[in-house]
């Protein structure tokens, strides 16, 4: 858990992270729950309440299952568990695409109902007006270019970006549009390594890589992937730093064995009337 010193430290702001362009890499992970937020908060710079929560915790096939209500619920939980990390909430599909006004209204709702520090939305040139409307109202925005999980159905699946000259030109234009619209940083996902590195060199704001390049200004992973808790397919770009799947399964086996053998609960786990001698 966070130490008293960590708990008293001021929360990292989007502006502070933006100023770290080209400096010490920015450490980011997703978080969806209070206990995970508490555990991660002392060690990361940014926690993203990603719309990946729809898949990771709710069992949806894609992130399209995320709703505003879902993002707010998990955003509130993560905010209760953090004191130090900058907290960013994903704007779910359908909450920002229709117009700049709709995007601003959705962003304000996420900020007002959770107290988070910034919002994130996917797209480049196509959502530049939405980003500008949100940042123009004083709300910090993280962009997201490259592979965009909210677009997998129209893209025909999870396809790595930047494989052709035309695709590279599109990515560079998207990055520039996000930057010009006032975003404080941008995620680059599922993009050819040299292309992600080139975008990072050209961009004036930090880039956060996921399946992109070590040259990015920071990195992010889905926390369940990073700690080996993902029960479905683990993406190629993931490094598992623990194997909680095995630990959870082993604990369940031990618990089941003890319950069936009446070894649990033991005397130390039950309550006796006062004056009763414990064995």
């Amino acid at each position: 858990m966070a130490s008293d010193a960590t708990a008293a430290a001021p929360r990292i702001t989007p502006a502070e992270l933006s100023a770290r362009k080209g400096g010490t890499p920015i450490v980011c992970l997703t978080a969806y729950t209070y206990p995970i937020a508490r555990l991660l908060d002392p060690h990361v710079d940014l926690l993203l309440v990603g719309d990946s929560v729809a898949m990771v915790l709710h069992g949806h096939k894609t992130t399209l299952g995320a709703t505003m209500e879902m993002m707010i619920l998990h955003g509130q939980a993560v905010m209760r568990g953090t004191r130090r990390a900058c907290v960013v909430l994903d704007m779910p599909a359908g909450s920002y695409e229709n117009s700049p006004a709709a995007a601003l209204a959705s962003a304000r709702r996420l900020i007002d109902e959770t107290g988070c520090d910034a919002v994130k939305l996917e797209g480049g040139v196509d959502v530049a007006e939405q980003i500008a409307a949100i940042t123009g109202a004083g709300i910090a925005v993280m962009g997201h270019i490259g592979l965009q999980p909210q677009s997998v159905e129209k893209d025909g699946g999870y396809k790595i970006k930047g494989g052709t000259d035309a695709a590279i030109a599109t990515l560079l234009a998207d990055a520039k549009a996000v930057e010009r619209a006032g975003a404080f940083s941008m995620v680059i996902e599922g993009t050819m390594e040299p292309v992600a590195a080139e975008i990072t060199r050209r961009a004036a704001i930090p880039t956060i890589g996921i399946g992109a390049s070590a040259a990015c200004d920071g990195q992010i992973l889905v926390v369940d992937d990073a700690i080996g808790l993902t029960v479905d397919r683990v993406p190629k770009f993931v490094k598992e730093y623990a194997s909680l799947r095995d630990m959870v399964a082993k604990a369940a086996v031990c618990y089941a064995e003890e319950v069936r053998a009446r070894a649990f609960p033991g005397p130390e786990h039950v309550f006796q009337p006062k004056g009763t001698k414990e064995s």
Side-chain angles (χ1 to χ4, degrees):
M1 297 300 180
S3 66
D4 290 341
T6 300
R11 189 180 292 275
I12 298 169
T13 67
E16 289 171 336
L17 293 177
S18 187
R20 284 172 57 176
K21 172 67 182 179
T24 303
I26 300 167
V27 179
C28 313
L29 283 168
T30 66
Y32 317 111
T33 64
Y34 171 80
I36 289 294
R38 283 285 303 272
L39 292 169
L40 299 182
D41 187 50
H43 310 292
V44 303
D45 302 308
L46 184 150
L47 287 174
L48 172 66
V49 185
D51 58 0
S52 49
V53 67
M55 302 171 69
V56 175
L57 294 190
H58 295 273
H60 290 274
K61 294 296 184 183
T62 71
T63 63
L64 296 176
T67 64
M68 285 289 287
E69 290 71 23
M70 186 185 294
M71 299 310 303
I72 289 167
L73 180 68
H74 290 283
Q76 290 169 341
V78 169
M79 287 301 295
R80 293 186 195 106
T82 58
R83 296 292 182 272
R84 174 183 174 276
C86 179
V87 177
V88 180
L89 259 67
D90 260 336
M91 300 186 69
S95 69
Y96 61 89
E97 299 93 325
N98 289 341
S99 70
L104 177 56
S106 295
R108 278 181 170 153
R109 184 181 174 196
L110 291 174
I111 294 287
D112 290 345
E113 296 192 33
T114 68
C116 68
D117 303 293
V119 298
K120 181 172 78 65
L121 65 161
E122 296 180 8
V125 172
D126 56 330
V127 296
E129 292 184 4
Q130 284 88 330
I131 294 174
I134 298 169
T135 58
I139 298 172
V141 173
M142 171 181 273
H144 185 141
I145 66 170
L147 191 158
Q148 297 166 36
Q150 293 178 6
S151 300
V152 293
E153 290 187 355
K154 69 179 182 181
D155 284 352
Y158 294 90
K159 297 181 179 179
I160 303 304
K161 305 299 181 180
T164 66
D165 289 344
I168 293 171
T170 296
L171 286 167
L172 291 171
D174 282 342
K176 182 56 66 176
V178 167
E179 179 184 321
R180 285 177 174 168
F184 77 92
S185 64
M186 74 180 93
V187 170
I188 305 177
E189 179 171 359
T191 297
M192 293 293 181
E193 193 282 331
V195 180
E198 180 63 19
I199 293 171
T200 300
R201 283 191 288 270
R202 295 192 187 192
I205 59 176
T207 60
I208 308 298
I210 177 167
S213 173
C216 290
D217 298 294
Q219 300 293 329
I220 189 166
L221 285 175
V222 168
V223 65
D224 291 60
D225 290 344
I227 63 178
L229 195 55
T230 299
V231 295
D232 296 318
R233 186 183 69 87
V234 178
K236 168 185 170 60
F237 55 75
V238 169
K239 178 177 180 179
E240 292 188 343
Y241 289 85
S243 183
L244 296 195
R245 284 185 301 272
D246 296 339
M247 295 179 68
V248 170
K250 182 178 179 181
V253 168
C254 291
Y255 171 71
E257 289 176 348
E258 291 195 1
V259 169
R260 290 175 183 133
R262 297 192 183 279
F264 176 84
E268 68 274 27
H269 306 119
V270 297
F271 303 94
Q272 300 290 352
K274 289 183 178 180
T276 302
K277 185 177 180 180
E278 294 183 2
S279 59

